[in-house]
């Protein structure tokens, strides 16, 4: 695996590979890789001969009181893990390469960013859209793989790729979980032993809501209340939101209908650590 640090070199490489008739798939990450990231690299191999993983902790997607400074970083370990998963190139620019002095651009995606993460983390999706647009322009891939773990982010990226005519296939890969159900995340490393044990309540809350839906529950408020009740069984948790919505556009009808594809979304603090998780469910017909 080769490490590339500059946009110019990355673009040149992309042109060369394309001239050789090769397809390129890109996996954007902020590093501190885990099996979830590696599953995206493996998935990328299904779509292209060449996989470029990007590694950049993007300051513009962190709020002023968020964890940009303390976000976990380990370049050597990331290199080994990415290579072991079959990554061909690691694009790892530094901050000034991505945001040189005088940088003035922003990318704002409306509507799909109005609620949930977009509402709780103002400016977050502007930063995500901006960096992904820049990474797309650096790597110029045919396809790019994103995790369902950040569900609303996948809607934002799809919207941006469509509206700005990137001509890149956006592929969504399933969430990888620890054996007890906790969604893998670089931020799990912040959790104390007790918080780590308690954190599986997010997965349990999603499962409870799914069971209720399977048992015939269709009322959005009732589904949300089931998630809240389960989460509150861990008194230390601070719920940011636990909600359900139509997966395509995040609309929130009072009642879901048979055949609706819905997303259950949770964000909650375990101590100082903010965790998110989600689950997709299709409302069964005939119950
Ligand atoms: P991050 O490094 O957290 O910005 O994540 C980089 C990419 O990996 C994003 O597309 C995430 O949605 C995805 N990702 C993060 N955690 C997981 C997971 N547990 N399973 C699958 N993909 C994940």
């Amino acid at each position: 695996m080769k490490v590339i640090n500059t946009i110019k070199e990355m673009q040149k490489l992309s042109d060369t590979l394309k001239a050789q008739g090769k397809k390129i798939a890109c996996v954007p990450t902020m590093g501190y890789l885990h099996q979830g990231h590696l599953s995206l690299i493996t998935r990328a191999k299904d779509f292209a001969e060449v996989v470029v993983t990007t590694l950049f902790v993007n300051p513009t997607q962190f709020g002023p009181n968020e964890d940009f400074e303390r976000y976990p970083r380990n370049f050597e370990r990331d290199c080994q893990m990415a290579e072991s998963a079959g990554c061909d190139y690691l694009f790892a620019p530094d901050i000034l390469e991505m945001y040189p002095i005088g940088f003035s651009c922003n990318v704002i995606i409306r509507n799909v960013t109005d609620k949930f993460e977009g509402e709780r983390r103002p400016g977050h999706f502007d930063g995500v859209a901006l960096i992904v647009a820049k990474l797309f322009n650096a790597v110029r891939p045919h396809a790019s793989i994103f995790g369902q773990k950040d569900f609303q982010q996948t809607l934002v990226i799809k919207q941006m790729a469509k509206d700005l005519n990137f001509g890149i296939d956006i592929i969504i890969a399933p969430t990888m979980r620890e054996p007890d159900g906790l969604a893998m995340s670089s931020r799990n490393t912040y959790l104390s032993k007790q918080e780590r044990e308690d954190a599986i309540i997010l997965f349990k809350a999603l499962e409870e809501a799914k069971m209720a839906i399977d048992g015939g529950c269709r009322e959005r408020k009732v589904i949300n209340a089931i998630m809240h009740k389960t989460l509150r069984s861990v008194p230390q948790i601070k719920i940011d939101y636990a909600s359900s919505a139509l997966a395509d556009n995040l609309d929130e009808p009072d009642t879901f209908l048979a055949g609706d594809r819905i997303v259950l979304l949770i964000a909650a603090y375990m101590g100082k650590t903010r965790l998110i998780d989600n689950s997709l469910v299709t409302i069964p017909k005939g119950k």
Side-chain angles (χ1 to χ4, degrees):
M1 188 186 72
K2 186 165 185 264
V3 177
I4 293 168
N5 297 115
T6 68
I7 295 169
K8 215 169 166 187
E9 196 190 342
M10 187 64 242
Q11 288 173 333
K12 207 168 139 211
L13 169 70
S14 177
D15 288 348
T16 308
L17 292 166
K18 285 182 181 171
Q20 293 167 356
K22 293 197 172 128
K23 283 227 159 21
I24 305 168
C26 176
V27 179
T29 82
M30 296 205 298
Y32 213 73
L33 302 183
H34 50 65
Q35 289 301 323
H37 297 114
L38 302 193
S39 74
L40 305 188
I41 296 175
T42 310
R43 193 80 207 283
K45 289 261 163 203
D46 296 340
F47 293 91
E49 291 101 327
V50 180
V51 176
V52 179
T53 302
T54 72
L55 193 165
F56 183 68
V57 185
N58 174 37
T60 63
Q61 71 188 70
F62 288 79
N65 299 317
E66 293 183 2
D67 56 343
F68 174 68
E69 295 295 339
R70 68 189 276 254
Y71 196 83
R73 294 160 168 92
N74 190 332
F75 182 71
E76 292 307 322
R77 180 171 162 274
D78 285 346
C79 284
Q80 284 166 16
M81 289 178 76
E83 185 164 26
S84 73
C87 174
D88 301 287
Y89 297 94
L90 187 73
F91 177 52
D94 69 15
I95 289 195
L96 280 174
E97 180 67 13
M98 295 314 265
Y99 299 115
I101 307 295
F103 186 91
S104 308
C105 191
N106 203 355
V107 179
I108 296 169
I109 316 286
R110 287 189 294 269
N111 303 327
V112 76
T113 57
D114 285 349
K115 4 176 140 160
F116 308 124
E117 289 303 280
E119 190 182 0
R120 292 343 190 266
R121 302 181 67 189
H124 168 65
F125 285 126
D126 298 353
V128 169
L130 175 61
I131 195 62
V132 173
K134 285 178 67 71
L135 292 169
F136 282 176
N137 282 329
V139 180
R140 297 173 179 160
H142 297 87
S144 190
I145 326 295
F146 293 85
Q148 188 202 308
K149 163 77 170 35
D150 298 276
F151 180 78
Q152 195 173 4
Q153 172 172 283
T154 66
L155 298 183
V156 171
I157 303 297
K158 279 187 196 163
Q159 189 74 50
M160 180 185 73
K162 182 166 169 256
D163 289 354
L164 297 184
N165 311 104
F166 272 105
I168 296 169
D169 290 334
I170 306 300
I171 318 285
I172 312 305
T175 302
M176 292 293 119
R177 298 179 178 282
E178 302 290 353
D180 64 358
L182 177 68
M184 291 180 180
S185 164
S186 307
R187 289 190 168 100
N188 290 348
T189 167
Y190 298 149
L191 299 171
S192 70
K193 193 161 171 282
Q194 185 60 51
E195 287 167 353
R196 168 64 189 84
E197 277 171 30
D198 290 343
I200 57 164
I201 201 66
L202 275 76
F203 179 65
K204 283 195 181 144
L206 295 171
E207 291 294 295
E208 291 284 341
K210 267 163 64 174
M211 266 158 44
I213 291 167
D214 214 38
C217 186
R218 302 287 176 265
E219 301 306 309
R220 183 174 51 82
K221 285 191 174 147
V222 176
I223 295 168
N224 295 355
I226 290 166
M227 290 193 280
H228 277 261
K229 185 164 178 253
T230 309
L231 290 167
R232 278 199 305 267
S233 69
V234 170
Q236 296 80 3
I237 204 165
K238 195 171 146 261
I239 304 170
D240 204 350
Y241 58 83
S243 300
S244 46
L246 294 176
D248 289 344
N249 52 19
L250 301 184
D251 278 357
E252 296 172 281
D254 289 343
T255 307
F256 294 115
L257 304 175
D260 280 350
R261 208 172 69 95
I262 72 165
V263 61
L264 308 167
L265 295 156
I266 296 177
Y269 287 90
M270 297 296 316
K272 285 190 174 143
T273 306
R274 188 172 185 277
L275 300 175
I276 59 169
D277 201 352
N278 70 81
S279 192
L280 286 167
V281 195
T282 300
I283 302 289
K285 300 205 165 126
K287 267 195 189 172

